[in-house]
Amino acid sequence: MIEVHELRKVYGDRTILDGITASFARGQVVALVGPSGGGKSTLLRCLNGLESFDGGAVTVGGDRLVPGGAKANRAALHRVRQRVGMVFQQWNLFAHRTALGNVIEAPVHVKRVPLAEATERGKALLARVGLSHREGAYPHEMSGGEQQRVAIARALAMDPEALLLDEPTSALDPERVGEVLDVLGALAADGLTMLVVTHEMRFARDVSHRTLVLHGGRIIEDGPSREVIDHPKHERTRAFLGLDRR
Amino acid sequence: MNRLWWVLVLAMAVLSCRGRAVVVGGGLARVRAAGVLRWGGDIQGGEPYVYEDSEHGGRLTGFEVELANALARELGVRAQFVQNDWSALIPTLERGTFDVALNGVEVTPQRVGRVRFTRPYYIFGARLMARRNDPSVQPTLASLRGRRVGTLANRFSYELLRNVAEVVPYEGVEEPYIDLVQGRTDAVLLDDIIAARYGEPKPELRVVGDLADGYYSIALRPADDDLRAALDAALARITASGELERILRGANIFNDRQRRLVTWTDDDQRRMLGTAAAGQRFGWSHVALFGKGALVTLLLSALAMCLAIPLGLGLAVARLYGPPALSRIAGAYVELYRGTPVLLQLYVLYYGLAPIVRLNALSAAVLGLGMNYAAYEAEVYRAGIQAVPRGQMEAALSLGMTTPLALRRVVLPQAFRLALPSVTNDFIALLKDSSLVSVITVVELTKQMTITAVDIRGWGLPGALCALMYFTMSYPLSLLAQRLEARLARS
Ligand SMILES: Nc1ncnc2c1ncn2[C@@H]1O[C@H](COP(=O)(O)OP(=O)(O)OP(=O)(O)O)[C@@H](O)[C@H]1O
Ligand SMILES: [Mg+2]
């Protein structure tokens, strides 16, 4: 349902993404791994139009993003973002809203869902990520793990067809990582399409169906997760995984 | 808190020590010893009193310059001009900055009780002017009952009009006639010299008549009575010799009224001075007027802020998120309004634009202050918006919000919270800046204070009360700002 074709992204004279082509099927859980600076975050941000790009195209459902930023993509951008949710490494919860307020904000004001209905839905979503008891808490009153789970619930509230997650656990204390991974595992089991940038090889191997290795702006390895992680073909992948296991 | 009260009490104590003459007695000897007669005046009063002649390299000119020179010569000394704001001539005289005030100082009961006056050197008529097409204004005070009449605050004419007409007090001599032409007032009552120069040349206006005679005299400190006597004698000599007439004719202001100067007697002098008004006591009626002034100040500031907040928000958003052209316009607005004095902006808005849009004084004041403060608010919000982490906007966009919706629902509410302490502080500053609107005839707290100070011949109590009222209005706001800042620091 997401097609990436020859995607190129340049910062000044540095090529960050150097012709990425890939397609992601509905229901697929994909792990995006690779060394720091390989372009993982940039790719993810291009997929929902937070970042403009310089060549190629991104197609989500029937909507196509092309180079040229917001000007060139005005209509498509809006629809793509509603179809593809995003969860940030730093959560980015709305600081002036409670957990529930964060979750219902977009349904009420973008989709115009009646408040009562959105609230009911929001509470159900918070329950799903195990935060029923934190509905009224403000972001600064919550732990990182709680905030990340609220961020996931907030993205889910827009009924996205796919979810993009950028290192959802890397900013968390080790003891909080599990609670977020559990939620992601449950979502994967429910058949949600997910593209997850991660350094958690256990998660990549056990939960994701497919793993992509990004290096220097290119996909250097792409295959079923167990195969890629247990028997990497590319020497750089081996180096990267070796480092990671140490 | 305690310390604050002490500062306040101390300030009031300092203020209530009335400025008394520092120099005592022997004025004549002092002037002779110094060899100069220092006379205070304001060149802004313009022609024909004292002014800088632009055709002669800014040389000091005017009939009062010639008069001062003649009198100094009679005393055997040199005359030296000291520039001073007209409205503060008497207090400055009392401080001892110059020996005499000689600049169209009219003999009014309030001043008689405060300074010594020589015999007059000019007799003027309080001249009433109205629009040519308005026959309803008659040459009597009674016909002015309930009408809007322009004049200068605390002048002879102002005293005549009080309790009769709705007085509109101006601070310059040209503006009353501009507003009369514009229809903002029904008539103007001012000294004939002023009327002849600034009112009569306007074809839309007509002279209705002269309502009363008034006198220009030289004012001195009570302690300098010997100097007063010497000046009286000198004046009598140059009046008798015809020199005064020649000076007045030179300025084109001699008329039949001035013949009385030649036959001036002690009785005339007594009649002119009248019974020295006992000086009003500062009482509840004044406090009530101050209350009204404070209300005007508060209302004005609140309305101006109500304009400045949304306008400033619009400017900040336009500057940060608008298309390039709009962003540049918003930037230019901010720089223009911050880079020029509010006083000038008020002036342009009220007088300059009068032929195009005729705002009443209060609307012009609200609009002028509001538009000025919008520039400052815009910068406060811009800083606030930029202090909201980028991730907030990105999160909103990633949820399918458009940029305007994300701004409205996510970024601005947070930016506003960040900006709130500064906005509160700006409101406090605005409370005080609002006193500038007296140039466009709005009588607010400070203007009320200056008017009352003249009435009761003292700045102490009115000044202290005025300060107290400003403090009462701004201190709670200041506390609020502190509390908001503390709350912000905690979250
Ligand atoms: N705004 C920017 N301007 C210039 N260079 C940038 C910008 N954003 C990212 N880059 C560069 O692009 C490259 C890819 O960055 P990206 O964040 O996509 O890497 P990443 O794979 O997510 O790395 P990490 O694992 O550290 O998050 C990096 O070299 C980075 O320095
Ligand atoms: Mg990254």
Side-chain angles (χ1 to χ4, degrees):
Chain A
M1 63 151 302
I2 302 177
E3 307 276 345
V4 184
H5 182 72
E6 283 300 318
L7 188 65
R8 275 172 40 79
K9 169 78 183 173
V10 181
Y11 276 126
D13 55 359
R14 290 182 56 205
T15 301
I16 308 301
L17 296 178
D18 191 8
I20 305 277
T21 299
S23 79
F24 307 101
R26 189 175 298 280
Q28 204 172 43
V29 177
V30 180
L32 205 52
V33 304
S36 182
K40 307 181 294 291
S41 298
T42 306
L43 173 60
L44 223 54
R45 292 164 59 81
C46 286
L47 293 189
N48 82 338
L50 279 180
E51 204 81 65
S52 65
F53 45 85
D54 304 282
V58 172
T59 314
V60 178
D63 295 306
R64 197 174 150 83
L65 300 180
V66 294
K71 263 203 193 104
N73 297 295
R74 204 171 289 285
L77 210 51
H78 206 221
R79 285 194 301 270
V80 165
R81 284 172 180 163
Q82 290 195 43
R83 302 178 101 142
V84 179
M86 177 100 177
V87 174
F88 298 86
Q89 185 174 3
Q90 295 296 339
W91 324 311
N92 295 352
L93 289 187
F94 302 140
H96 62 310
R97 296 266 181 263
T98 60
L100 185 60
N102 264 275
V103 176
I104 66 174
E105 184 71 30
V108 170
H109 293 282
V110 178
K111 281 194 169 168
R112 307 228 159 266
V113 177
L115 186 64
E117 193 184 324
T119 305
E120 197 181 324
R121 220 15 255 301
K123 288 182 171 180
L125 282 167
L126 284 176
R128 191 162 161 202
V129 297
L131 285 174
S132 283
H133 59 296
R134 299 297 274 155
E135 278 169 14
Y138 282 90
H140 66 95
E141 298 167 337
M142 291 188 275
S143 74
E146 287 172 336
Q147 291 192 61
Q148 190 59 294
R149 285 183 283 157
V150 173
I152 292 168
R154 177 175 71 175
L156 291 176
M158 289 298 281
D159 293 315
E161 293 164 32
L163 209 53
L164 310 174
L165 302 100
D166 192 358
E167 305 196 27
T169 58
S170 71
L172 301 181
D173 297 335
E175 62 266 30
R176 297 287 183 179
V177 170
E179 65 194 36
V180 171
L181 290 183
D182 288 348
V183 167
L184 294 185
L187 291 176
D190 287 353
L192 181 70
T193 312
M194 286 194 284
L195 196 52
V196 190
V197 174
T198 187
H199 290 288
E200 291 288 334
M201 288 308 139
R202 203 160 28 91
F203 173 81
R205 185 179 177 282
D206 298 342
V207 179
S208 71
H209 309 127
R210 173 181 166 197
T211 294
L212 291 182
V213 183
L214 212 58
H215 183 275
R218 295 169 178 276
I219 296 174
I220 56 168
E221 202 141 356
D222 178 0
S225 294
R226 278 165 202 269
E227 210 165 289
V228 170
I229 291 166
D230 293 342
H231 312 287
K233 293 196 184 69
H234 204 285
E235 136 200 13
R236 288 200 182 276
T237 314
R238 279 198 293 275
F240 163 69
L241 292 174
L243 274 178
D244 197 70
R245 285 203 182 116
R246 184 155 47 98
Chain B
M1 183 68 220
N2 239 329
R3 216 180 43 203
L4 244 160
W5 268 113
W6 274 114
V7 171
L8 201 69
V9 167
L10 205 68
M12 285 171 69
V14 169
L15 275 169
S16 31
C17 294
R18 277 216 1 218
R20 287 211 179 71
V22 184
V23 196
V24 280
L28 185 57
R30 188 187 64 239
V31 168
R32 288 235 160 96
V36 286
L37 175 71
R38 289 167 307 157
W39 62 286
D42 188 354
I43 53 173
Q44 281 191 330
E47 267 185 87
Y49 302 91
V50 189
Y51 60 101
E52 285 172 333
D53 187 353
S54 53
E55 280 165 27
H56 292 91
R59 195 164 52 94
L60 214 55
T61 320
F63 79 95
E64 286 172 339
V65 177
E66 291 179 47
L67 178 63
N69 289 340
L71 292 173
R73 186 198 64 223
E74 293 292 315
L75 296 186
V77 295
R78 199 163 45 77
Q80 186 184 64
F81 175 74
V82 181
Q83 165 62 29
N84 200 89
D85 190 67
W86 194 88
S87 62
L89 273 182
I90 300 297
T92 314
L93 171 73
E94 287 174 336
R95 281 194 66 243
T97 305
F98 37 74
D99 302 306
V100 302
L102 194 175
N103 189 209
V105 179
E106 303 156 304
V107 178
T108 60
Q110 280 80 3
R111 295 200 186 103
V112 168
R114 194 168 170 181
V115 295
R116 288 278 182 282
F117 278 114
T118 62
R119 56 186 282 162
Y121 59 85
Y122 191 78
I123 303 176
F124 67 88
R127 185 158 293 173
L128 186 65
M129 295 198 65
R131 275 184 303 282
R132 198 168 285 288
N133 60 13
D134 177 5
S136 67
V137 180
Q138 301 294 316
T140 58
L141 272 178
S143 79
L144 298 176
R145 190 161 297 282
R147 314 287 305 259
R148 286 171 61 81
V149 185
T151 188
L152 296 175
N154 299 121
R155 297 288 286 230
F156 179 72
S157 301
Y158 182 84
E159 299 302 328
L160 287 180
L161 290 170
R162 261 215 237 204
N163 308 322
V164 177
E166 187 191 329
V167 189
V168 184
Y170 291 84
E171 297 188 348
V173 287
E174 212 165 353
E175 294 83 350
Y177 297 103
I178 295 175
D179 268 7
L180 179 56
V181 170
Q182 292 299 331
R184 280 175 175 145
T185 54
D186 300 314
V188 170
L189 186 69
L190 273 174
D191 310 6
D192 53 9
I193 293 185
I194 298 173
R197 193 147 306 260
Y198 299 100
E200 288 168 31
K202 294 197 189 306
E204 300 92 335
L205 303 183
R206 68 184 171 101
V207 174
V208 181
D210 291 352
L211 299 192
D213 282 357
Y215 307 89
Y216 292 158
S217 282
I218 303 168
L220 297 95
R221 290 182 291 273
D224 287 350
D225 204 46
D226 58 341
L227 181 58
R228 200 243 343 125
L231 282 173
D232 259 342
L235 253 176
R237 282 199 297 279
I238 66 167
T239 308
S241 73
E243 183 172 6
L244 180 61
E245 180 176 336
R246 213 167 46 249
I247 291 173
L248 297 180
R249 279 190 192 281
N252 242 333
I253 55 173
F254 189 84
N255 52 30
D256 283 346
R257 262 199 200 92
Q258 313 311 324
R259 304 203 186 282
R260 280 178 60 206
L261 292 173
V262 184
T263 60
W264 196 256
T265 63
D266 287 352
D267 274 345
D268 288 328
Q269 181 77 3
R270 261 190 295 280
R271 261 196 300 280
M272 176 185 84
L273 296 178
T275 41
Q280 298 176 35
R281 294 278 295 281
F282 193 69
W284 287 112
S285 64
H286 289 112
V287 176
L289 281 175
F290 271 52
K292 211 174 119 194
L295 218 62
V296 173
T297 291
L298 203 59
L299 182 78
L300 189 68
S301 308
L303 288 177
M305 207 63 188
C306 286
L307 174 64
I309 287 175
L311 186 56
L313 204 60
L315 286 167
V317 169
R319 205 166 178 190
L320 288 172
Y321 296 97
L326 194 64
S327 170
R328 261 198 301 280
I329 290 173
Y333 179 102
V334 170
E335 295 313 328
L336 183 73
Y337 273 84
R338 286 200 313 175
T340 56
V342 200
L343 207 58
L344 185 70
Q345 293 162 19
L346 286 168
Y347 229 80
V348 169
L349 191 64
Y350 188 69
Y351 297 113
L353 297 183
I356 307 161
V357 270
R358 193 187 309 150
L359 299 161
N360 68 38
L362 200 65
S363 323
V366 167
L367 204 61
L369 288 175
M371 285 170 67
N372 179 265
Y373 266 73
Y376 292 94
E377 295 320 289
E379 288 302 279
V380 168
Y381 298 136
R382 194 161 72 108
I385 290 170
Q386 284 172 332
V388 174
R390 252 176 67 86
Q392 295 286 313
M393 181 57 134
E394 291 192 340
L397 291 178
S398 78
L399 286 166
M401 292 192 192
T402 57
T403 304
L405 183 66
L407 270 175
R408 188 160 60 78
R409 297 291 310 173
V410 177
V411 177
L412 292 185
Q414 295 184 56
F416 197 73
R417 257 189 54 175
L418 292 171
L420 209 50
S422 303
V423 173
T424 313
N425 284 325
D426 279 353
F427 186 65
I428 295 173
L430 174 58
L431 270 177
K432 283 164 287 180
D433 276 0
S434 70
S435 67
L436 291 170
V437 302
S438 61
V439 294
I440 57 171
T441 75
V442 177
V443 179
E444 42 61 67
L445 185 49
T446 303
K447 184 73 180 177
Q448 187 62 57
M449 191 271 287
T450 56
I451 292 173
T452 307
V454 173
D455 282 347
I456 70 159
R457 297 186 215 142
W459 291 78
L461 267 178
L465 183 62
C466 177
L468 185 70
M469 282 182 155
Y470 274 113
F471 184 78
T472 312
M473 288 189 276
S474 58
Y475 189 59
L477 288 167
S478 164
L479 285 182
L480 179 70
Q482 281 170 32
R483 191 162 305 173
L484 289 170
E485 258 162 49
R487 207 183 68 184
L488 212 57
R490 260 184 280 124
S491 64

